[in-house]
Amino acid sequence: NAGVTQTPKFQVLKTGQSMTLQCAQDMNHEYMSWYRQDPGMGLRLIHYSVGAGITDQGEVPNGYNVSRSTTEDFPLRLLSAAPSQTSVYFCASSLTDSKGVKLFFGSGTQLSVL
Amino acid sequence: KQEVTQIPAALSVPEGENLVLNCSFTDSAIYNLQWFRQDPGKGLTSLLLIQSSQREQTSGRLNASLDKSSGRSTLYIAASQPGDSATYLCAACRGGNEKLTFGTGTRLTIIP
């Protein structure tokens, strides 16, 4: 199992450009989510999905779009990049069992918006 | 709104010592609390998960405790090693909706 795979690992954008961060998981998890990590802020939830065709907003959704056409893939789209979106982005999938929720994270995408 | 705090932000400890990392949360109505490890440039790896009905969980040299009434969790690392150097984050899960609130982490350095 590859787990959760994110691409690209690094990206530099100019203000106003658009791009898509890719996320794929091979564990057949229904729940997937996107977080951003900023210094001193911890990880904050951007969007999440409880299954194919279902998405919802997290804590900081503005400026981002998501879709979930398959169980495996959960791309994050920046429509018009802004310097405030400079951050490290993590995708996660999760499994819920009798012990609770366990998250599996990708290795992250470091994004710089100039 | 749940707030999760980890103090100190950074900690340096000589190799071989036992240490405790702290995590505080404001809303005691949690489903579970998790501890993660993050190495530089990498994603987060789940270390321990404590259900709300439990008081502690152990894995090897790691022991996590949970006191919901006081809004605190601790991660105890025994006989620290240089390989334990990393950032440790805690996260509180409220309800069964799988949305976690993360602390800002404690950056741990084990000095050989």
Side-chain angles (χ1 to χ4, degrees):
Chain A
N1 281 354
V4 179
T5 303
Q6 286 184 241
T7 56
K9 293 188 72 66
F10 301 95
Q11 183 70 49
V12 178
L13 293 177
K14 295 181 179 179
T15 297
Q17 287 185 317
S18 62
M19 79 158 296
T20 299
L21 307 184
Q22 301 292 342
C23 177
Q25 54 97 3
D26 60 0
M27 297 172 282
N28 203 33
H29 291 165
E30 291 294 327
Y31 190 93
M32 297 185 71
S33 51
W34 276 100
Y35 290 86
R36 60 177 289 173
Q37 185 176 34
D38 301 292
M41 300 288 290
L43 274 78
R44 293 180 292 169
L45 181 65
I46 304 171
H47 285 286
Y48 65 98
S49 168
V50 299
I54 306 170
T55 63
D56 206 346
Q57 297 180 348
E59 181 184 357
V60 287
N62 292 341
Y64 308 95
N65 273 1
V66 292
S67 60
R68 185 92 180 272
S69 57
T70 66
T71 299
E72 294 78 19
D73 300 300
F74 190 43
L76 178 72
R77 297 183 186 85
L78 281 71
L79 304 175
S80 179
S84 61
Q85 294 178 304
T86 294
S87 186
V88 181
Y89 291 84
F90 289 100
C91 177
S93 70
S94 63
L95 171 68
T96 301
D97 59 19
S98 59
K99 296 183 180 180
V101 178
K102 184 173 182 179
L103 267 69
F104 299 82
F105 281 86
S107 58
T109 296
Q110 187 170 323
L111 176 67
S112 296
V113 183
L114 307 178
Chain B
K1 178 185 175 184
Q2 177 75 276
E3 294 183 3
V4 179
T5 304
Q6 293 183 251
I7 297 173
L11 180 66
S12 293
V13 174
E15 179 179 1
E17 286 197 1
N18 303 326
L19 63 99
V20 174
L21 304 180
N22 297 302
C23 173
S24 300
F25 48 93
T26 56
D27 187 346
S28 62
I30 61 172
Y31 188 67
N32 63 50
L33 188 132
Q34 300 182 50
W35 283 91
F36 295 86
R37 169 183 173 137
Q38 184 177 26
D39 293 288
K42 301 289 181 63
L44 281 69
T45 301
S46 180
L47 295 174
L48 289 165
L49 183 154
I50 313 176
Q51 295 176 272
S52 61
S53 59
Q54 298 175 318
R55 291 194 64 84
E56 65 178 44
Q57 278 286 328
T58 298
S59 177
R61 294 183 293 108
L62 306 180
N63 176 277
S65 69
L66 175 64
D67 185 343
K68 286 176 52 179
S69 62
S70 66
R72 292 188 60 194
S73 176
T74 62
L75 180 67
Y76 174 85
I77 302 177
S80 59
Q81 304 170 358
D84 295 329
S85 296
T87 297
Y88 291 81
L89 297 95
C90 65
C93 181
R94 186 167 185 266
N97 60 8
E98 306 187 348
K99 288 187 281 187
L100 274 65
T101 301
F102 283 84
T104 52
T106 295
R107 187 174 70 252
L108 176 65
T109 302
I110 304 300
I111 304 166

